[in-house]
Every structure is written in C-alpha cells, then in structure tokens.
Amino acid sequence: MPPSAAPAGDRAAQGPRPEPRHDFRTAEPRWQAEWERRGCFAVPDVPPPGARKYYVLEMFPYPSGKIHMGHVRNYTLGDVVARYKRARGHLVMHPMGWDAFGLPAENAARERGIHPGRWTYDNIAAMRAELKRMGLSLDWAREFATCDPEYYGQQQRLFLDFWKAGLVERKESWVNWDPVDQTVLANEQVIDGRGWRSGAPVEKKKLAQWFFRITRYAEDLLAALDGLDRWPERVKLMQANWIGRSEGARVRFRLAEAVADIAEVEVFTTRPDTLFGMSFLALAAEHPLAQAVAARDPKAAEFIAECRRMGTSEAAIEQAEKRGHDTGLRVAHPFLEGVTFPVWIANFVLMEYGTGAIFGCPGHDQRDLEFARKYGLSVLPVVLPPGADPARFTIGEEAYVEDGTIFNSGFLDGLSVPEAKRRVVEALERTGQGEGVVNWRLRDWGVSRQRYWGCPIPVIHCEGCGAVPVPEDRLPVLLPEDVDFSRPGNPLDHHPRWKHVDCPRCGRPARRETDTFDTFVDSSWYFARFCSPRAPVPVTREAVDAWLPVDQYIGGIEHAILHLLYSRFFARAMRDTGHLALAEPFAGLFTQGMVTHESYRAADGRWLYPEEVEIVTAPDGSRGAVEKATRAPATIGRVEAMSKSKRNTVDPGAIIERYGADTARWFILSDNPPERDMEWTEAGVAGAFRFTQRLWRMTALALPSLPPPGTPPGDAAGAARRLRQATHRTIAAVTEALEGFAFNVAVARIHEFANAIAEAEGADCAAARREALETITRLAAPMMPHLAEELWSMLRPGEARLVAELPWPEADPALLKADTLTIAVQVLGRLRGTIEVPAGATEAEVLAAAEAEPNVQRALAGRPIRKRIHVPGRIVNFVV
RNA sequence: GCGGUCGUGGCGGAAUGGUAGACGCGCCAGCUUGAGGUGCUGGUGGGGGCAACCCCGUGGAAGUUCGAAUCUUCUCGACCGCACCA
C-alpha cells in the first residue's frame, strides 16, 4: 500500500498519532462536481462579441474500453493548455469525442459474438467515466461518437458535396486479399506474407474503389506547410517528403516488337541525365505490359504471382530481396540508333509511383546496381566524380550518386548533372520521345473499406444509370442492426435485404454500395463538427467561422503524416464546397512522445505485468525482480512502449485510485519534455504523490500564522523580500515554461519555489508567505487542479471564485530584478572564479572586480591581459 | 530500403554560443517517529589533494570561436513512420 490519505479504518490501524493529510479521494470528486455545477468549461457555439476564443483539441480516442497512459499524457497536456489559456482570459473550447468506427469492434463481434455497436457504446461509457475522474476541463455537452448516425449522416452529406465538386472518383486499385477468409486485409494483418487469422498466403487483388482526389491539392498542401509556423519542423518535413514533389522526365521507349497492342513503355525518372548509362528497363508486376507478357508466358505469370504474395506495403516491397524476370522483350534507346535493352519485371518497382516502369542505370542508383549485379546486366558509368580519370573510373559495389561531369553520353559529354538534365529533356521534347514533368509521390486517397463497422458510402449502383448518389432526403444511409458475423466476408454484402433498393434515378432494382469509409475519413473533420455538434448540417458557418482554426492541437507523432494530411485535405475540400472559410485546420500542433515502461519476464519466458513483480535492490545497488506469486527470480527487460503483448502496461484507473488524478497528472508532466518518450516508474509516481502532500501540509501548517486574506505584502526587506522575489520570478518562469510547452521545467520551478517558501522563516515573512502560498497554488492549478481548489479554499475561505475562475498571476517587474549579480570569471575560457556585483555596476567596475578576484589573479599569473570579453550580467573572459 | 527524430551523472532531465548537471528519482549519512514505502537536514559526475584548489567530462572523431552540450563535417547507436491499425 502506498502512503495515502487512507480511509478512516486504515488510519486507525496506523496508530494513535494520525497526521492530517490531503484526502484526494473525497476532494477530487467534490471539485469535479463543483466545476460541473458552475459550468466552468461550457462555451457557446457562437462566442459573444469581443471574446478572445481559443480552441484546444487533443486527438480523440478510439474507444477500446480502457484509457491507457498515452491518453492520460495526451489529455493532461491539453488540459494544462486549456486551463492556462482560460486563466489568461481566453474563451476556451475544449471538447471530447470518440473515434468509434473501426476493425476492433468487428473482431470483437467475430470472436465473442458481441454486436459492434453494443461493444463500442459500452466501451465509450467506461472510458468516459475514467476520463471524468482525471478532472479534465472539458465541455462534455459537445461530446459525440463518429458512429452516431447524427455524425456519420452528415459525413455522407459531405461526401456527396465533394462528389459534386469533382473531388471524388471511382477507380481500380490493388488490395491485400485473403483467399480463405474472403476478405481484404489491412497491412498490419499481413504477417510474413500470410493472413493473420487464416495463415493463407496473401494475394494482391484489383478492386473498384472510391477515392478522394487529394492529389488535386498536392501543390497547395506542400506550399502551405511554410505558413504553419506553430507546427514542429519535423512534421512539416515528413509531410513534404510524403507529398514528394520531384522534377524529372517522362521518357517513352519503343518496344522492338509490340505485345498485344502495346508498342511503347512510358518511364518516369528523376535522373534523365543518366539515360546513356541505361542497362535495362524494369516493370512493376501490375504493369499492363507485364500482364500482357504473362498472358503468353507461364514463367512470367508465375513470377508475377509470386510478387503478388508480397503484400502491398511499401516497406515490405522495398525490403524484399531484389528479384526479376527477363521478359525477352527489348526496347530501343531514344538516342542511340540500333541499341536495345532488355525488359524485366522486377519486384522493387512500384506501380503506384510514377508510371510503374523505370529505366535501370546501375552506375548511379544503388537498387539498380544490386539488380544488375545479380542478373549479370551491364554497368556503364556516365557521371564522372570530380578529379577522377575517365579512362580508369569504374563502378564497384557502390553506385555513384553524387555530382560530377557527364561522360560516355554522346551529346551530353562534359556537361554538369543539372545542365545535362535540361539538355536531355529538350532533346526528348524535340523528338517527341518524352517531356519534362513534375511528379508527385502523393497518391489519391482510397476510402473504400469492405467492412461493416464504418460509415456507409451513400451510393446506389444501377445497371442502367451507373453509380448514383443517394438523394439528400434519404440520408442518412443507416447501418443495419441485424448482421451476421459467422460467415467470412463483408456482412453488409451478404445481408439478405439491406443492399437491395430501387435506383433513385430510374426506379429499377439496384443495389447499395456495400463498402464503408476508411475511418480516417471520420477523423478528418471531427474538429469542425465540435463547433456545432448537434447541427442538422455538417457544420454551421457562424460556429466554424468563429472557432476555427484549432489553436492548439495535441496528439501522437504517429499521426504526423496521414491523419494530419487528410484533415488538411478535408479543410480544403470543405472550403471549396462552402462549408468552411479556411484551408488549414490546425494553427498550432504539438506532438507528444510515447509512454514507456520496463518489461519483465518470468524464468519460463512469460511476460509479467509490473504489479506481478517485486523490485529488489541488491547490496551492490543493482536492481533485480522477483515474481510475487512464485518468489522465483524474473528478468528485467528493456524499457519500451507500453503494449499489451509485452504486458508492460500500467492501468491509469488503478493509479488514480491509489494516488489520485493530481498525482498522475503531476508525474506525467514532471518526468521529461512532453515531445519525448517518457518512462513510467513507480518511484516517480510516489515522488509526485509526496509533493502533492507536501504542498498541502505546507499550506495547512502555515495557515494559523498567516495574516488575513488580502493583506498587502508591502515593501519587505531581508528574508521577506527574498521570498517575494522568488514568488515573482517563479510567476515569470512558470509562465514562460507553460507558453513553451516545457511543462517539466514548470514543475521544476514550482519545486524550487516550494523549497524557497519552506526556507523563508520568521514572523516578518508572514504577509510574503501568504502571497507565496496563494501564488504557488495558482501556478500549480493547471497541472493539479483539484489540489489547487482545495488549497485555495483553505487560504481564502468564503471566496466566491474558484481557482478555475481566476485570472493568471502577474509578475511585478520591480521584483524580478536581482539586487546583485553573480558573474562568472574565466581565464582563457576556463572558469576561475565568480564575483558578486551590484545590479547597476558599470563595465569598468565589473572588469576591475573580476581581475581582482584572488583565484583569477593566480590563474593570470602576472601575464599581460590581451583581451577582455564582458557579457553583461553573465561572464567575463580574460585572454592572456 | 526510403523518410524522420533522439543520444548529457546510477536514472528522467536543465542549460540552444557564456558558471554543465537546475529540479526530481535513486543512493549515503544524521535527526524525528513506538513503528515506517513517514517527515526534516546534509551529501551525491569521475580522478588527484589534508586543504586552498587542479585535471578530465555532454555517444565517438575532427573543425569554427576568447568561449561549444549548443554551430559545421564525418561516424556509431537507439527509436518512430511508410498509404487498409487507430
């Protein structure tokens, strides 16, 4: 048992001298109820005139059933910002909702026979209760779940508006197909090329799917990153790389003989300057020419089938051993009369990027080189490194990818790489064999999912009319309740009645689209919906125009690319369909690190939960672990991200039960900078708990000696003045730290301040001490709000306002200035002593004092000073 | 494979060109308490010295500077993302 504000029974057991303590178990629910009663955190859809709005949003959770430490960290960070901004006079909107569609609900249905809706709403109820115990300053009246028909129905409206605006397209794309389960697999469900449930080898299959035309905004999505000055640079960089603008050329290669009716192959390259170093042409397995070859060549068909078992993820493709199949076809070089090169099918060429075909130049591309070496293809260098001898330069194991002078290249010889690129493009365009192009890595966003638990795509397929939008007055298209998960495949597809409807256009029998939306669609506009969560339209303009953009968005770095990019796309699409006025949804972004923990393993290899082991410290100070149940030694493993499989998780509910929400919040903020991974440790929580008790005790013990509330601390001297200076310096320091998301520094400054308050003794400090205690309470309030209310009610009995309703303390500039300064004195850059000078000392006075310092004298050793460097208030350096 | 981030005491970290190790955890010593997973006080990077002090030290190597954890180049290691997990 931890030391705690234990229930009365426990306290009696502790002995006859119970110490008074902060009883968080009764205090925390009491203050939560009081905030709710007063409506402290509720805001209107349309802010009153003159209000300074501030929209704080944390990434909403998936309702898995229990909150985890990542949520605690995320929502604590957001809550500190929300409470701080509120104190700074902003009208703060801080909503919460649920990203409630997705695969786990269907898995639960298949494995345990629970309806996905039932499972989801039960989980939401459990998690809402847990979040409420954290004391978050949320406007719960705005809550919704993406699986609420009121939400996904509006999403269907948005889809139809996007469609009308030309932002939606139906086309074919490749998916991972499990032939046994008859289902499309997510990349994470493909393990070593096999379906996770069936174990069957996965195949790639072509399906007609719905796409959002995000590529239409590629240029703007890239350019607008520059304006996002409150986004982390690394996230912007990752997005820029993802969008992947590259300049290059499209080159058409003529086939020596046509296959089917294909006479040429189009290739995209960023290195047209190396065209004369070509040694082969390679096709993706899905390329139409490869398909045509396969139709008449069983060996090629077999190789393509093998490639299809690789899965669709880019990582899997690029990490696989480079392999190929020679089609026997040849293509002509665009500029070398009569020279032809072999056409291969290769497993490392991506159909989704460029044209699905490349020309291989092994001399100057590492992948091409590995491929050429493996299959004995020619390697001709065409870029000469500076200073190399053209007669002797050869390529070994490493391709040469740097700058140089072009050689072995006909009309390009002697040019630089950029100049050669220009000249090749000119020649290609002149001869009609290609052109310079800008290529994007970004692909259109496929949103079709062959799943039940998602937002139905509001389309009806008719034999005569094609794909027809569901008319406005028949929205929302609701999911059927009665679904059967006992069969493999999509339950919507084999529902007996749901998909059979009449065509809204011609009235003849037709069928519904049975695909549902990717859950990324749900999370791409929820931030806008929060502004008017009950509106009978997707968003009301008065609300979104007033509240958006989100001023501070906070979430995990794992969403740095997709979720944020899709949301940026949605904002643009909603702007172009009249729903929003802006393009960038998130003005400020903060990405937090993960929560990690040690892992433990029993002797037989079982993973153990932290509560199943006891940590023992050996006499030599080294740590070991013992399994509590068996008393057998256990191994302490690596510190890594909390995960169920490693069992290195800590349940936030249990922590709040044992230590209270304030302790959990304080520890999670104090451990390290929020953008880094933090390690959850039992010792750390216990330390945070001790500090909450120390603050309470310090206040409770001081109370009888404090002057009445409102007593001016006045122009104190001595210890009282030093305490007042500490108070005001701490206000300034904590304010700066909170503004800069340096919450661990804010915590450290509050610790220091608590030490300073404890040291300031004597009756003449009483008024300064009241000021200090009231200040520390208010500065700590965004981080431990319940304790702050408790302390405030002790310090100011009868005060009408709660801390949650108070403005932020202001530092008095007169008390920020130090009376004396400590200056470090260096000789030749090495510290030799420090001097104390009055705050107003002149440079000459400072230099004289520095030179006179005895240890400095010794270091100077009588040598003449050549240079005196003085950085006012900081340092003096003598160069001899 | 491609892209990105991070390396500072026993541990989390502070310092973003100016006194390296603030603050906390842990540990050590003392006091308090009938007792302690309590409270309080002091100490705590490594080496040398009775001491005053001196030397070394921010993953490794080199460089720029009066001065580098911080800037530059190279290098090693750990972690994250890669389009159907959310």
Side-chain angles (χ1 to χ4, degrees):
Chain A
M1 276 298 286
S4 69
D10 284 21
R11 191 178 291 163
Q14 279 178 350
R17 206 186 54 83
E19 270 185 23
R21 295 200 137 197
H22 169 50
D23 181 6
F24 67 84
R25 277 190 240 272
T26 60
E28 291 189 348
R30 190 170 71 241
W31 292 114
Q32 287 160 16
E34 185 61 17
W35 294 323
E36 185 160 348
R37 195 180 68 76
R38 296 195 187 202
C40 291
F41 314 128
V43 290
D45 284 4
V46 181
R52 292 157 60 218
K53 73 93 183 178
Y54 198 92
Y55 184 178
V56 185
L57 183 67
E58 300 101 54
M59 290 179 183
F60 64 166
Y62 179 78
S64 59
K66 275 190 158 235
I67 63 170
H68 55 68
M69 280 301 171
H71 294 130
V72 175
R73 195 175 197 200
N74 195 178
Y75 303 139
T76 299
L77 294 172
D79 200 47
V80 172
V81 174
R83 288 178 181 270
Y84 170 71
K85 289 292 177 183
R86 217 174 270 121
R88 294 305 297 252
H90 291 91
L91 184 68
V92 172
M93 178 157 84
H94 188 204
M96 181 57 70
W98 310 95
D99 189 12
F101 276 133
L103 270 180
E106 283 191 48
N107 292 337
R110 284 183 204 280
E111 285 159 16
R112 286 180 275 153
I114 310 166
H115 189 273
R118 172 72 191 281
W119 183 85
T120 303
Y121 283 105
D122 284 353
N123 284 349
I124 287 173
M127 288 177 72
R128 185 193 300 117
E130 287 192 276
L131 288 184
K132 288 198 169 183
R133 286 201 289 154
M134 284 182 62
L136 304 170
S137 63
L138 292 165
D139 182 0
W140 281 104
R142 295 182 179 274
E143 177 191 2
F144 61 78
T146 56
C147 62
D148 296 342
E150 293 73 30
Y151 183 80
Y152 74 72
Q154 299 305 330
Q155 184 162 300
Q156 292 168 345
R157 256 174 237 276
L158 286 178
F159 170 81
L160 296 178
D161 285 351
F162 291 1
W163 197 0
K164 264 182 246 157
L167 294 168
V168 170
E169 186 178 14
R170 190 166 170 79
K171 59 185 177 185
E172 295 199 310
S173 78
W174 296 87
V175 296
N176 297 312
W177 180 254
D178 186 320
V180 171
D181 278 351
Q182 293 287 298
T183 184
V184 177
L185 296 177
N187 281 332
E188 71 154 16
Q189 297 173 324
V190 180
I191 296 152
D192 295 330
R194 290 171 180 275
W196 67 332
R197 221 188 287 272
S198 69
V202 169
E203 294 169 9
K204 285 190 216 172
K205 191 175 161 181
K206 212 173 207 179
L207 281 187
Q209 313 226 59
W210 292 98
F211 284 81
F212 283 141
R213 297 175 73 178
I214 188 172
T215 51
R216 180 180 279 202
Y217 295 106
E219 192 106 52
D220 183 45
L221 286 168
L222 180 67
L225 288 172
D226 275 344
L228 297 174
D229 54 352
R230 289 201 296 121
W231 278 43
E233 282 304 317
R234 62 169 164 157
V235 173
K236 290 195 276 183
L237 200 60
M238 282 193 222
Q239 292 229 341
N241 288 330
W242 189 261
I243 296 166
R245 182 183 196 275
S246 58
E247 290 181 10
R250 221 162 19 214
V251 188
R252 282 178 289 279
F253 288 90
R254 226 171 346 95
L255 279 164
E257 48 164 327
V259 178
D261 50 357
I262 303 170
E264 59 178 30
V265 187
E266 199 168 63
V267 151
F268 173 77
T269 178
T270 57
R271 292 298 303 273
D273 54 301
T274 63
L275 199 48
F276 286 88
M278 173 172 184
S279 97
F280 61 92
L281 189 143
L283 306 168
E286 297 86 10
H287 193 278
L289 179 58
Q291 303 287 311
V293 169
R296 62 177 205 192
D297 173 1
K299 284 246 170 76
E302 199 179 301
F303 179 74
I304 289 171
E306 242 175 83
C307 291
R308 285 207 185 147
R309 283 196 280 273
M310 241 183 352
T312 56
S313 93
E314 198 177 303
I317 290 165
E318 294 198 6
Q319 264 164 331
E321 189 197 353
K322 292 175 189 29
R323 295 178 49 234
H325 172 82
D326 187 353
T327 62
L329 302 174
R330 297 192 74 88
V331 288
H333 191 276
F335 301 117
L336 293 170
E337 198 67 38
V339 177
T340 63
F341 294 100
V343 176
W344 287 66
I345 301 168
N347 66 352
F348 64 90
V349 180
L350 304 171
M351 191 59 217
E352 290 82 8
Y353 184 73
T355 61
I358 60 153
F359 80 78
C361 176
H364 307 286
D365 182 284
Q366 193 60 33
R367 282 183 305 184
D368 295 351
L369 181 63
E370 283 167 34
F371 190 77
R373 292 286 187 232
K374 176 160 184 166
Y375 293 105
L377 300 166
S378 64
V379 179
L380 176 70
V382 290
V383 182
L384 188 67
D389 175 359
R392 315 224 334 242
F393 179 67
T394 55
I395 299 291
E397 290 304 302
E398 297 244 333
Y400 179 71
V401 296
E402 309 293 313
D403 243 340
T405 309
I406 306 292
F407 72 129
N408 292 336
S409 294
F411 66 93
L412 299 177
D413 281 353
L415 299 177
S416 68
V417 166
E419 184 57 26
K421 284 182 179 171
R422 268 192 296 277
R423 293 283 280 277
V424 169
V425 169
E426 267 170 37
L428 288 169
E429 287 176 353
R430 199 170 51 239
T431 58
Q433 299 185 93
E435 50 272 320
V437 289
V438 171
N439 189 56
W440 302 87
R441 211 185 76 99
L442 184 67
R443 308 201 293 260
D444 278 331
W445 173 17
V447 293
S448 295
R449 297 293 182 268
Q450 295 69 40
R451 316 258 181 239
Y452 166 72
W453 194 234
C455 169
I457 299 177
V459 174
I460 292 166
H461 296 282
C462 168
E463 296 236 340
C465 310
V468 179
V470 172
E472 283 264 333
D473 59 357
R474 291 200 221 159
L475 291 180
V477 176
L478 295 174
L479 286 170
E481 282 290 317
D482 53 329
V483 277
D484 175 15
F485 283 96
S486 62
R487 286 208 275 156
N490 180 359
L492 283 183
D493 198 31
H494 42 64
H495 190 279
R497 297 171 310 278
W498 186 77
K499 70 175 171 185
H500 302 291
V501 289
D502 291 339
C503 171
R505 200 161 286 167
C506 69
R508 282 184 295 190
R511 55 177 189 82
R512 279 191 196 285
E513 173 66 67
T514 58
D515 286 354
T516 53
F517 282 121
D518 176 7
T519 55
F520 271 122
V521 176
D522 311 335
S523 55
S524 291
W525 69 286
Y526 77 112
F527 55 87
R529 181 71 182 170
F530 272 137
C531 301
S532 49
R534 312 287 169 240
V537 288
V539 295
T540 55
R541 283 300 297 264
E542 302 79 45
V544 287
D545 288 350
W547 282 110
L548 290 179
V550 174
D551 295 279
Q552 186 63 60
Y553 194 37
I554 305 171
I557 185 74
E558 66 274 20
H559 295 290
I561 299 177
L562 290 181
H563 162 61
L564 293 170
L565 195 62
Y566 292 153
S567 297
R568 297 179 65 218
F569 161 75
F570 248 77
R572 283 164 174 76
M574 287 175 77
R575 176 197 61 193
D576 292 351
T577 51
H579 293 288
L580 292 182
L582 45 71
E584 289 300 337
F586 311 121
L589 172 70
F590 188 87
T591 52
Q592 73 188 65
M594 293 181 304
V595 182
T596 65
H597 197 283
E598 275 180 339
S599 53
Y600 309 100
R601 261 186 139 146
D604 58 7
R606 276 174 303 125
W607 295 101
L608 299 170
Y609 284 108
E611 60 265 27
E612 294 177 313
V613 301
E614 190 179 309
I615 302 297
V616 289
T617 309
D620 68 351
S622 63
R623 296 170 71 244
V626 170
E627 185 179 358
K628 282 180 189 166
T630 62
R631 303 310 301 170
T635 323
I636 300 184
R638 295 199 309 163
V639 172
E640 52 194 320
M642 286 189 180
S643 76
K644 278 185 195 151
S645 61
K646 301 274 172 70
R647 299 198 161 185
N648 61 339
T649 56
V650 174
D651 172 28
I655 295 294
I656 292 171
E657 175 59 30
R658 293 173 70 183
Y659 295 101
D662 285 334
T663 294
R665 294 168 58 121
W666 187 252
F667 172 54
I668 219 158
L669 293 166
S670 66
D671 187 59
N672 67 352
E675 67 274 16
R676 286 201 215 165
D677 290 354
M678 79 159 287
E679 188 187 349
W680 186 274
T681 61
E682 185 64 24
V685 198
F689 179 81
R690 281 201 297 272
F691 186 73
T692 63
Q693 292 296 349
R694 184 182 177 209
L695 265 190
W696 187 90
R697 192 179 339 104
M698 202 160 81
T699 306
L701 293 179
L703 226 40
S705 67
L706 295 183
T711 306
D715 292 324
R721 178 172 169 82
R722 283 196 297 279
L723 181 55
R724 292 210 65 206
Q725 285 177 327
T727 300
H728 288 265
R729 270 202 283 268
T730 305
I731 294 172
V734 170
T735 304
E736 189 192 333
L738 293 185
E739 290 281 351
F741 265 78
F743 301 124
N744 58 322
V745 179
V747 166
R749 295 289 97 87
I750 289 172
H751 272 287
E752 282 174 359
F753 187 28
N755 293 341
I757 298 172
E759 276 164 28
E761 289 171 358
D764 56 328
C765 287
R769 188 176 300 114
R770 167 171 282 281
E771 181 191 35
L773 288 168
E774 289 185 354
T775 301
I776 201 168
T777 295
R778 293 164 66 182
L779 293 178
M783 298 178 264
M784 26 183 169
H786 312 88
L787 178 63
E789 298 293 0
E790 192 71 15
L791 297 178
W792 188 247
S793 71
M794 288 154 66
L795 287 162
R796 296 277 187 120
E799 169 87 32
R801 282 189 295 178
L802 303 179
V803 179
E805 298 165 326
L806 289 176
W808 193 246
E810 295 277 346
D812 178 352
L815 288 162
L816 289 179
K817 282 187 239 127
D819 303 328
T820 62
L821 297 171
T822 306
I823 309 280
V825 185
Q826 298 181 335
V827 177
L828 285 172
R830 283 172 178 280
L831 182 72
R832 294 302 176 191
T834 57
I835 52 170
E836 292 281 326
V837 297
T842 65
E843 176 162 293
E845 287 164 353
V846 172
L847 287 175
E851 205 172 329
E853 208 277 336
N855 207 46
V856 171
Q857 275 294 312
R858 194 168 26 229
L860 289 171
R863 291 171 292 184
I865 297 171
R866 288 224 320 267
K867 200 166 168 188
R868 293 175 173 83
I869 292 143
H870 177 225
V871 181
R874 290 202 172 270
I875 203 163
V876 169
N877 189 10
F878 294 120
V879 184
V880 294

